[in-house]
């Protein structure tokens, strides 16, 4: 029985690896420059413990590192535009109301303490601590909820509304007027008062009755919707029942003052 004898290798293993790497095609060698560099580091460091630690250190130094924004960029103290690698959250968790609200916000060049988010078109005012959006048709800033998205259920919910008058002894001296707006969003577009933030369907029904023919019922019927649409356009967010009640009360109070001034009543 013949026993095989292992060959005696006198060439260091790193030299063999270098020679083999040199035999690879040129395009393959160019495709792995990082690997060649690491092999050279291994060869120079030798096989001692000290060389092994030095090898590890040099390999770590050659690893690509992710560039981090400067501290002043993170805090939002720079007046130059800053665009993050990705938008990330619109408003970072723990935002205190001062500085950059989140990634993707840049300082507004013409307003101190204002920030602008290009993707959403939102603005943020540090002094007012409110999010706003520029409304072109109204030519003004209006408050906006950055996280609100309106719901459209017009395909599932439909309704019809009609009005009719009734005659009777108790209503003989009364004057009645009614208002029916089946689609507030479309009415807002027609009156150049955009309401894209309202949940749909959104409608308005109102009945006004005056005991005398002084024109009050007609005045309120013709004027209420203009007040309401204007108020609804001033906030781009969720309109709770409380908010709606407040603008109805404010609109009626304004109309009462205007009608009194028109008729000379106190």
């Amino acid at each position: 029985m013949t026993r095989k004898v292992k060959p005696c290798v006198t060439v260091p293993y790193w030299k063999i690896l270098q020679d083999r790497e040199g035999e690879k095609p040129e395009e393959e060698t160019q495709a792995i420059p990082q690997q060649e560099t690491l092999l050279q580091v291994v060869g120079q460091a030798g096989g001692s413990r000290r060389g092994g630690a030095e090898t590890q250190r040099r390999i770590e130094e050659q690893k690509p590192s992710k560039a981090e924004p400067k501290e002043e960029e993170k805090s939002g103290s720079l007046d130059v535009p800053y665009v993050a690698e990705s938008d990330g959250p619109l408003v970072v968790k723990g935002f205190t109301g001062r500085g950059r609200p989140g990634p993707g916000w840049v300082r507004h060049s013409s307003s101190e303490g204002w920030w602008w988010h290009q993707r959403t078109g939102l603005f943020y005012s540090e002094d007012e601590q409110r999010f706003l959006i520029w409304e072109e048709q109204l030519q003004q800033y209006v408050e906006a909820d950055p996280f609100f998205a309106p719901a459209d259920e017009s395909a599932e919910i439909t309704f019809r509304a009609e009005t009719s008058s009734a005659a009777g002894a108790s209503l003989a001296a009364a004057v009645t007027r009614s208002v029916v707006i089946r689609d507030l969003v479309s009415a807002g577009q027609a009156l150049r008062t955009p309401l894209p933030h309202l949940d749909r369907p959104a409608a308005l029904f109102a009945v006004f009755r005056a005991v005398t023919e002084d024109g009050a019922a007609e005045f309120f019927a013709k004027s209420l919707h203009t007040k309401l649409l204007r108020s609804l356009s001033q906030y781009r967010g969720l309109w709770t029942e409380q908010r709606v009640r407040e603008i109805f009360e404010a609109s009626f109070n304004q109309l009462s003052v205007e009608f009194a001034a028109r008729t000379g009543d106190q």
Side-chain angles (χ1 to χ4, degrees), residues 208 210 212-221 259:
F208 301 94
T212 60
E213 296 185 3
D214 58 358
E218 186 171 357
F219 175 79
F220 275 76
F259 183 74

Side-chain angles (χ1 to χ4, degrees), residues 15 24 31 37 58 73 105 107 128 175 200 211 214 228 256:
K15 186 65 170 65
K24 291 185 177 182
T37 305
R58 297 183 63 181
E73 292 178 338
W105 291 84
R107 284 194 181 277
E128 300 178 27
V175 177
R200 303 184 76 171
V211 295
D214 58 358
L228 286 177
S256 297

